[in-house]
Amino acid sequence: MTIRVLHVASELYPLLKTGGLADVTAALPAALIEQGADARVLLPGFTSVAAGLADLRPIARLSRSFGAPEASLELGRLPGSGVPVYMIRADALYARPGSPYLDAEQVPYGDNAQRFALLGWAAAQLAQHADPDWAPRIVHAHDWHAGLAPAYLRAAARERAQATQAAHPSSPLYDPRTDSLRARTVFTIHNLAYQGIFPAQQFDMLGLPADYFDMHGVEFYGQLSFLKAGLYFADKITTVSPTYAREIQTVAQGCGLEALLKGRAHDLVGILNGVDYAIWNPAHDDAIAAPYSAGHMSGKLRCKTALQARLNLAQRHDAPMFGVVSRLTEQKGLDLLLGALPEIVSRGGQLAVLGTGDASLEQGFARAARQHPDAVAVELGFDETLAHAIVAGADVMVVPSRFEPCGLTQLYALAYGALPLVHRVGGLADTVADASLENLADGLATGFVFERFEPDALAAAIRRAFALHARSHDWRETRARGMQQDFGWAASAQRYMALYRELA
Ligand code: ADP
Ligand code: GLC
């Protein structure tokens, strides 16, 4: 039997992307289709989504619109992969250019609770045949934006059962586990730090049963949490690496939800993200200066030279080029890198940074670039083409995150022969093997890993990178090993398929 699965999310590459979530929601449904699933996506009709989907046509009017004059469902296709995408047309809530979450002043929109409640509610409607031609057996919700989908589905199922019970008082008491009509739900945590917290007063507007505002429900320390709704009501919880799945069950990394997650440990699994090698492959990448592959590496030097030229850095072939492509937030640990900058510059290395986010980090890197114009370059902003150019031109990609659910940039780095230098945490710990003497001897090393989130630990890893760079044979061997790693989506898609089968 073909499994019909609806992915519910707020971002989708290439239409709308603020981080790795968009890469996942684009690649995973396509990979599931390759595995035989019937996968579709549901997104809010943000400006770039409405403009970018092909063949959009109306499907149904929605009976609730959360404050918008009206809301409806449309169905189109993602250009390129052709994956079918439902879009919620509710212009009063979604037709805003730029960030899907923040206004021009970088402040969360005041009606975010309404905007993302509609997303979760519409997902539940699709599971209840809002589209007469297609209904999912599995609703797979991503991050807090889609967190209410499992809650709405559970509420609808209970309501249906209560109606049956009223009509036939002898029927058994409602048990969501044995209710075979109900679509099953999966909730994926891409980042536990973003929780979708709103004032308790917003609960009434959601139209959920009153008893759902409870510690065993959507209530979180007196407030309303969309993330907790997903974690509490979903049948299964996944996150994007095995190590992060363990970490979030601890006080240190559980963001206040560790007890819930520990209590649901049997329903929680870590499935590593993959790489879409159709987009991230140095042998076929229009965004880079010259193609290259593990067997033909000369193009990589041309990419490095082009990057130095583009960023007005000194044209030096031998200078190890460190790269960063990242959101500039607390999570990413780049304050630690700012502190370790002298370690790179004084040893003759260069650093290329592309990112946007916290003003203090933006200013810190901009200041470093002014102080060392030959060695440090910073581009503030979001630039997909430059992101590829940096990964291709870099010798080392630095990802010193405080926490990292999975992380995609270190996987892209491996594919592009840029050795990842990472903090041993979350998905970074699961995907990079340190160039220790024993790992080099055993043919396991793929990058540089530091244990403690401390300046001296990062500095030591940077020194290890310089030391290995000076041993060109070992460097080339490590780089080639990294490029041969297969982090394609097929393996992950198979694991999601197994999970769906278990549920369906
Ligand atoms: P996160 O989702 O936490 O931001 P990931 O490593 O999973 O981290 O994914 C980040 C994605 O966003 C990658 O595709 C990366 O290339 C991209 N990215 C991050 N910052 C920028 C930027 N400033 N410009 C272009 N792409 C960026
Ligand atoms: C989040 C995480 C990142 C992960 C991405 C995709 O943004 O911060 O680690 O790779 O989601 O799952």
Side-chain angles (χ1 to χ4, degrees):
M1 190 192 67
T2 309
I3 291 184
R4 288 185 306 278
V5 52
L6 180 70
H7 285 265
V8 189
S10 59
E11 301 186 20
L12 182 64
Y13 176 85
L15 306 184
L16 181 60
K17 165 167 166 178
T18 73
L21 173 65
D23 291 357
V24 174
T25 56
L28 175 57
L32 290 167
I33 290 170
E34 294 225 329
Q35 301 290 326
D38 181 357
R40 299 188 176 189
V41 182
L42 170 68
L43 281 191
F46 300 122
T47 303
S48 61
V49 173
L53 287 174
D55 306 331
L56 268 179
R57 62 186 168 86
I59 291 292
R61 253 186 70 94
L62 292 170
S63 62
R64 292 194 61 190
S65 57
F66 294 86
E70 57 183 350
S72 61
L73 275 176
E74 299 182 11
L75 177 61
R77 277 184 307 104
L78 186 62
S81 71
V83 170
V85 181
Y86 290 100
M87 181 191 97
I88 306 165
R89 174 84 68 179
D91 287 350
L93 294 175
Y94 301 137
R96 304 169 192 175
S99 163
Y101 320 116
L102 312 173
D103 66 18
E105 269 73 54
Q106 305 302 307
V107 178
Y109 285 115
D111 56 357
N112 271 352
Q114 284 83 350
R115 299 169 81 224
F116 293 105
L118 177 55
L119 178 63
W121 182 81
Q125 294 307 111
L126 271 166
Q128 296 167 84
H129 301 271
D131 178 352
D133 295 330
W134 192 91
R137 180 72 186 128
I138 306 282
V139 173
H140 188 152
H142 297 268
D143 270 356
W144 75 263
H145 323 108
L148 290 187
Y152 280 118
L153 267 167
R154 192 68 80 85
R158 191 176 71 173
E159 204 174 295
R160 203 170 47 234
Q162 282 165 347
T164 313
Q165 189 121 45
H168 311 281
S170 62
S171 58
L173 273 180
Y174 181 63
D175 179 350
R177 283 163 306 182
T178 55
D179 173 3
S180 61
L181 289 176
R182 183 177 69 86
R184 295 312 196 239
T185 50
V186 176
F187 182 81
T188 295
I189 305 165
H190 294 267
N191 196 331
L192 200 66
Y194 298 98
Q195 304 196 339
I197 304 260
F198 301 98
Q201 299 84 284
Q202 302 256 34
F203 177 75
D204 288 343
M205 163 279 288
L206 301 180
L208 284 168
D211 63 313
Y212 278 24
F213 193 79
D214 189 83
M215 194 177 108
H216 302 287
V218 306
E219 185 266 352
F220 186 61
Y221 294 101
Q223 294 186 291
L224 164 63
S225 165
F226 279 35
L227 176 69
K228 191 173 164 202
L231 298 179
Y232 186 81
F233 287 105
D235 294 301
K236 292 280 183 193
I237 304 168
T238 78
T239 188
V240 287
S241 70
T243 293
Y244 193 60
R246 287 192 299 276
E247 290 169 346
I248 56 179
Q249 297 178 51
T250 66
V251 176
Q253 294 231 47
C255 301
L257 290 157
E258 59 277 358
L260 190 169
L261 290 164
K262 232 182 148 141
R264 297 210 59 190
H266 288 299
D267 294 322
L268 168 62
V269 57
I271 302 179
L272 209 59
N273 285 333
V275 174
D276 186 341
Y277 290 116
I279 295 167
W280 293 95
N281 176 356
H284 307 276
D285 185 339
D286 294 340
I288 67 178
Y292 60 92
S293 60
H296 299 89
M297 285 301 288
S298 59
K300 184 157 178 79
L301 186 57
R302 304 223 324 260
C303 290
K304 180 169 171 177
T305 309
L307 182 64
Q308 288 167 330
R310 151 101 202 241
L311 297 176
N312 292 316
L313 290 169
Q315 290 278 351
R316 294 192 1 238
H317 289 178
D318 54 337
M321 169 73 79
F322 292 74
V324 170
V325 176
S326 184
R327 294 185 291 115
L328 301 182
T329 62
E330 161 99 7
Q331 170 189 349
K332 298 297 179 179
L334 293 163
D335 44 329
L336 208 61
L337 179 61
L338 265 179
L341 214 71
E343 204 65 58
I344 294 179
V345 175
S346 69
R347 287 169 194 273
Q350 294 181 325
L351 175 67
V353 178
L354 168 64
T356 171
D358 294 356
S360 65
L361 284 169
E362 292 194 349
Q363 287 156 14
F365 281 110
R367 196 175 317 120
R370 282 197 302 275
Q371 279 164 359
H372 310 284
D374 286 350
V376 180
V378 180
E379 290 269 336
L380 300 175
F382 201 92
D383 183 337
E384 199 73 45
T385 306
L386 183 58
H388 284 246
I390 289 181
V391 183
D395 297 301
V396 178
M397 286 295 292
V398 191
V399 192
S401 310
R402 281 190 170 74
F403 68 93
E404 195 62 77
C406 177
L408 293 170
T409 40
Q410 84 280 11
L411 301 181
Y412 301 155
L414 287 169
Y416 280 67
L419 276 54
L421 190 161
V422 305
H423 180 211
R424 188 194 293 287
V425 75
L428 301 173
D430 291 339
T431 53
V432 184
D434 183 55
S436 62
L437 280 178
E438 60 274 29
N439 278 345
L440 284 170
D442 293 348
L444 297 173
T446 57
F448 310 96
V449 183
F450 62 98
E451 296 275 344
R452 288 171 298 110
F453 190 82
E454 300 286 346
D456 66 308
L458 172 59
I462 291 173
R463 285 183 358 239
R464 272 210 303 296
F466 276 96
L468 193 70
H469 195 255
R471 289 159 50 173
S472 58
H473 171 76
D474 287 338
W475 183 272
R476 283 200 302 270
E477 206 171 87
T478 306
R479 186 173 66 182
R481 187 176 306 115
M483 293 179 80
Q484 279 148 16
Q485 305 286 306
D486 179 5
F487 285 102
W489 268 104
S492 309
Q494 276 163 18
R495 304 204 51 204
Y496 284 110
M497 288 296 275
L499 190 71
Y500 299 158
R501 282 203 199 93
E502 193 186 322
L503 281 174

